[in-house]
Amino acid sequence: MENIEILKENDIDLEGALGLWGDMESYNEALKEYRDAFPQKRNDLKTFIEKEDWNNYAVLAHSIKSEAKYLGFMSDAEVFYEHELKGKANDSQFIKENFSKLEETADKIVSILNEYFGEKKNLLIADDSNIILSFLEKNTKEEFNILKANNGHAAIEKLSNPIYAILLDLNMPGLNGFEVLNYLKEHNLIEKIPVVIITGDDADTTIEKVFSYPILDVLKKPFSETNIKNVLDKIHNFYQTK
């Protein structure tokens, strides 16, 4: 159920947007399309950066900016506008140094719209044990939309979605948990998304290595429903104290 107060609290120009869209039904459809397109557009922007294709980078930044304005996200549109101008100027240094701000703005918009539509946030659970996946899903699905992965490659693929938090097993086939942590670190995600490590290895060397990354907590196997609730509380506190 849409909650207009969410838009007002976040300074969205609802009156101006409705002047364009005419009615709430059309406006809401446009909001959903904009939100759902962000993962692909973000990936496209990254591809343009890798290829140093600044012309297409500017074109896409312009499109994201214009749609933000049409939907009432006026202040956020300025972030995309700045990237549009820098793309036109082939200012690669600025774009690379400030792309994380663009991503944060996109994440904020998606978060606002998820809250507005009353939809559950995505919790990514990565573990090669179907029993563990089922147990964790059972104890979290009332609050979250669950994205499951049984190996590191699958977990990374799920990151194309907006992720609220990650429960990550260390020992998985293909890419293990440490390799996923390295991916998160290399892509500037590990400090933005709270990560809880799942492991049955309580060796001091393993725990020390785990906490060399800025993770939120460790969920040691075997764990209980109470243990799961405790880490979920820590996840929520992570966002409240940001």
Side-chain angles (χ1 to χ4, degrees):
M1 184 67 180
E2 297 85 5
N3 183 354
I4 292 178
E5 292 304 315
I6 299 297
L7 301 181
K8 293 179 180 179
E9 290 170 3
N10 286 281
D11 298 321
I12 309 306
D13 182 11
L14 182 58
E15 183 177 350
L18 288 177
L20 173 65
W21 296 101
D23 58 72
M24 286 301 299
E25 183 177 357
S26 299
Y27 178 59
N28 285 336
E29 289 179 2
L31 285 175
K32 287 185 177 181
E33 289 178 4
Y34 188 60
R35 177 199 61 184
D36 295 343
F38 257 123
Q40 183 60 53
K41 289 183 176 180
R42 178 185 298 189
N43 287 337
D44 288 343
L45 287 172
K46 289 180 178 178
T47 298
F48 294 144
I49 291 175
E50 291 170 359
K51 295 181 177 179
E52 298 199 342
D53 184 351
W54 308 121
N55 179 61
N56 279 319
Y57 184 91
V59 170
L60 183 51
H62 168 80
S63 173
I64 299 171
K65 172 211 69 178
S66 298
E67 291 174 343
K69 284 189 173 181
Y70 298 153
L71 295 169
F73 289 81
M74 307 307 290
S75 61
D76 297 314
E78 293 303 313
V79 174
F80 304 122
Y81 178 55
E82 190 170 24
H83 278 259
E84 174 191 349
L85 293 180
K86 298 300 182 180
K88 290 179 177 178
N90 295 329
D91 191 343
S92 60
Q93 181 177 352
F94 174 90
I95 291 171
K96 292 176 180 179
E97 290 179 353
N98 293 276
F99 188 70
S100 61
K101 182 179 179 181
L102 183 149
E103 289 187 298
E104 288 172 3
T105 302
D107 287 341
K108 185 185 79 170
I109 291 174
V110 170
S111 178
I112 290 170
L113 294 181
N114 284 340
E115 187 177 4
Y116 168 65
F117 287 112
E119 296 178 356
K120 296 178 181 178
K121 296 179 174 64
N122 291 326
L123 175 66
L124 172 57
I125 306 175
D127 198 298
D128 62 336
S129 167
N130 289 330
I131 293 175
I132 296 295
L133 285 175
S134 296
F135 185 65
L136 287 169
E137 181 179 23
K138 173 188 173 184
N139 285 278
T140 56
K141 66 182 180 180
E142 291 298 320
E143 184 174 357
F144 296 101
N145 176 48
I146 307 303
L147 303 180
K148 294 187 289 185
N150 55 19
N151 60 67
H153 287 292
I156 287 174
E157 289 178 359
K158 299 292 185 183
L159 294 174
S160 61
N161 301 281
I163 302 297
Y164 186 73
I166 303 172
L167 305 184
L168 178 65
D169 186 26
L170 286 183
N171 297 312
M172 296 184 292
L175 294 181
N176 63 37
F178 284 114
E179 290 170 307
V180 175
L181 286 173
N182 286 333
Y183 178 92
L184 294 171
K185 183 177 180 180
E186 290 168 3
H187 290 78
N188 299 315
L189 296 173
I190 197 165
E191 294 183 347
K192 299 176 184 177
I193 303 174
V195 178
V196 175
I197 293 298
I198 305 169
T199 183
D201 184 354
D202 59 358
D204 291 343
T205 53
T206 300
I207 300 303
E208 183 178 349
K209 184 177 179 181
V210 164
F211 277 105
S212 68
Y213 297 86
I215 64 162
L216 186 64
D217 201 1
V218 172
L219 189 59
K220 293 184 179 181
K221 301 177 184 178
F223 47 80
S224 66
E225 294 179 1
T226 300
N227 298 141
I228 296 172
K229 182 181 182 303
N230 288 339
V231 297
L232 293 183
D233 287 342
K234 289 185 179 182
I235 288 170
H236 293 313
N237 288 337
F238 170 87
Y239 286 100
Q240 292 173 1
T241 57
K242 284 187 68 176

